């Protein structure tokens, strides 16, 4: 087994998780120009929904995951409708403060319902990994990579070919023009929150199978995914996926050179460097150019 191959494999697995979460950040920002800082906590709630389905109602994991995604989508719709929609035209500070408050509220709710004990979705013994290109990869990790690849393929096809996907892209390009053309913007925004929340819940389930679940799990994961969205070019779907794998690989290869305890700081460092030298992100430049053309 090669150490470099193992770190790259770990980076790809982490990037697959970050991609699912970063898409929620970037889709909401693309439409509302607003950062939903409660998105990491929706991931956490999705993991707990699935945990309840598996360990309380004895559901199969796949069924618990589907129900968790549906409940997370409903939670995203409720949060958008109750907390964010009334503040849509209140500037940037009020929604930002509300998002932070919502994040703390969801953590408190999870703590009250499920307690602070560390839990896991895994049932049975830990499986032994198999060697692939010099790295040891478990079946759960393969499921994470394959699931993310399938979801991303369906998402890109959905955005390109469906009526709702085209409406989402139209609202992202120019919300005012989309409103003028008769697109139901409220419905598009509600669907965007639902879709992003369902993807975050799926990420929470995959993490819960591979690692552990706790009420604060959404904080670090949310920050890493947010960094990925910014690095790739927030508001850009392809950029969010690219940024996720950049952050995942950088974090895991980075611990070859520094103590693993500093791993979460790597995404912060990359985020700061990008904001200083290329604030539009890796794929954000063309988007900025399009906006300038529209304004002209």
């Amino acid at each position: 087994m090669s150490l470099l191959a193992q770190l790259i494999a770990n980076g790809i697995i982490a990037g697959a998780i970050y991609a699912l979460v970063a898409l929620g950040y970037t889709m909401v920002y693309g439409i509302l120009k607003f950062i939903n800082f409660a998105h990491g906590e929706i991931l956490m709630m999705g993991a707990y929904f699935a945990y309840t389905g598996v360990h309380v109602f004895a559901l199969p994991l796949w069924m618990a995951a589907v129900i968790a995604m549906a409940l997370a989508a409903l939670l995203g719709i409720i949060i958008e409708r109750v907390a964010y929609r009334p503040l849509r035209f209140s500037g940037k500070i009020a929604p930002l403060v509300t998002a932070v408050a919502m994040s703390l509220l969801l953590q408190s709710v999870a703590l009250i319902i499920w307690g602070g004990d560390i839990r896991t979705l895994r049932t049975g013994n830990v499986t032994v990994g198999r060697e692939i290109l010099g790295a040891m990869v478990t079946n759960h990790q393969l499921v994470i990579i394959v699931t993310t690849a399938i979801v991303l393929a369906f998402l890109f096809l959905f955005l390109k070919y469906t009526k709702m996907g085209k409406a989402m892209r139209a609202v992202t390009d120019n919300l005012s023009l989309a409103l003028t053309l008769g697109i139901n913007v409220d419905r598009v925004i509600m669907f965007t929150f639902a879709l992003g929340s369902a993807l975050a819940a799926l990420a929470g389930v995959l993490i819960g199978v591979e690692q552990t679940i706790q009420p604060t799990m959404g904080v670090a994961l949310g920050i890493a995914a947010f960094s990925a969205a910014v690095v790739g070019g927030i508001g850009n779907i392809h950029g969010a996926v690219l940024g996720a794998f950049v952050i995942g690989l950088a974090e895991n290869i980075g611990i070859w050179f520094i103590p693993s305890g500093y791993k979460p700081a790597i995404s912060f460092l990359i985020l700061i460097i990008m904001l200083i030298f290329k604030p539009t992100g890796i794929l954000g430049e063309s988007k900025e150019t399009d906006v300038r053309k529209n304004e002209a």
Side-chain angles (χ1 to χ4, degrees):
M1 183 184 74
S2 163
L3 177 58
L4 179 59
Q6 188 63 55
L7 293 175
I8 291 174
N10 292 346
I12 292 173
I13 294 161
I17 294 291
Y18 294 160
L20 293 175
V21 190
L23 286 169
Y25 279 111
T26 209
M27 287 191 296
V28 169
Y29 182 85
I31 292 177
L32 295 177
K33 303 296 180 283
F34 153 70
I35 305 298
N36 178 18
F37 280 112
H39 194 60
E41 277 60 45
I42 293 177
L43 174 154
M44 174 270 295
M45 293 296 286
Y48 273 114
F49 290 151
Y51 175 86
T52 303
V54 171
H55 292 282
V56 178
F57 296 102
L59 297 176
L61 179 60
W62 68 268
M63 188 181 295
V66 171
I67 293 174
M69 291 174 68
L71 291 175
L74 179 61
L75 179 62
I77 291 173
I78 293 173
I79 291 174
E80 188 277 328
R81 190 64 186 268
V82 174
Y84 298 148
R85 187 177 297 187
L87 302 174
R88 192 176 297 171
F89 303 105
S90 302
K92 295 183 179 300
I93 300 299
L96 180 66
V97 173
T98 302
V100 175
M102 187 57 63
S103 169
L104 297 174
L105 175 63
L106 292 176
Q107 285 186 41
S108 301
V109 169
L111 193 60
I112 292 171
I113 297 176
W114 292 285
D117 294 340
I118 295 176
R119 305 170 189 270
T120 181
L121 273 168
R122 187 187 309 119
T123 56
N125 298 324
V126 177
T127 57
V128 178
R130 67 187 72 184
E131 185 168 343
I132 300 176
L133 300 176
M136 296 299 291
V137 182
T138 66
N139 290 338
H140 288 154
Q141 292 170 333
L142 287 175
V143 168
I144 290 173
I145 295 172
V146 172
T147 301
T148 299
I150 293 173
V151 168
L152 292 179
F154 273 105
L155 179 64
F156 290 140
L157 291 174
F158 172 83
L159 292 174
K160 187 171 184 179
Y161 294 110
T162 67
K163 185 177 179 180
M164 177 57 77
K166 292 175 181 176
M168 288 173 65
R169 288 191 288 128
V171 175
T172 299
D173 286 342
N174 193 318
L175 190 149
S176 299
L177 182 59
L179 196 60
T180 305
L181 293 174
I183 295 176
N184 189 332
V185 172
D186 285 340
R187 185 181 175 195
V188 171
I189 292 173
M190 186 175 67
F191 183 84
T192 302
F193 269 85
L195 179 59
S197 300
L199 293 177
L202 177 59
V205 172
L206 294 174
I207 293 168
V209 174
E210 173 66 14
Q211 301 176 15
T212 57
I213 301 171
Q214 53 189 316
T216 57
M217 65 183 289
V219 177
L221 287 164
I223 290 174
F226 170 67
S227 300
V230 173
V231 167
I234 193 161
N236 186 307
I237 298 291
H238 298 86
V241 177
L242 176 62
F245 285 100
V246 168
I247 293 292
L249 288 168
E251 281 186 344
N252 284 278
I253 295 176
I255 60 174
W256 197 354
F257 305 98
I258 62 175
S260 59
Y262 293 101
K263 181 178 175 181
I266 295 175
S267 60
F268 269 119
L269 180 61
I270 296 174
L271 175 63
I272 293 171
I273 292 173
M274 288 299 296
L275 290 176
I276 292 174
F277 296 103
K278 192 170 172 49
T280 56
I282 299 172
L283 300 182
E285 187 174 357
S286 58
K287 176 69 178 177
E288 184 181 48
T289 302
D290 290 342
V291 171
R292 288 174 178 173
K293 285 180 180 177
N294 290 333
E295 289 177 346

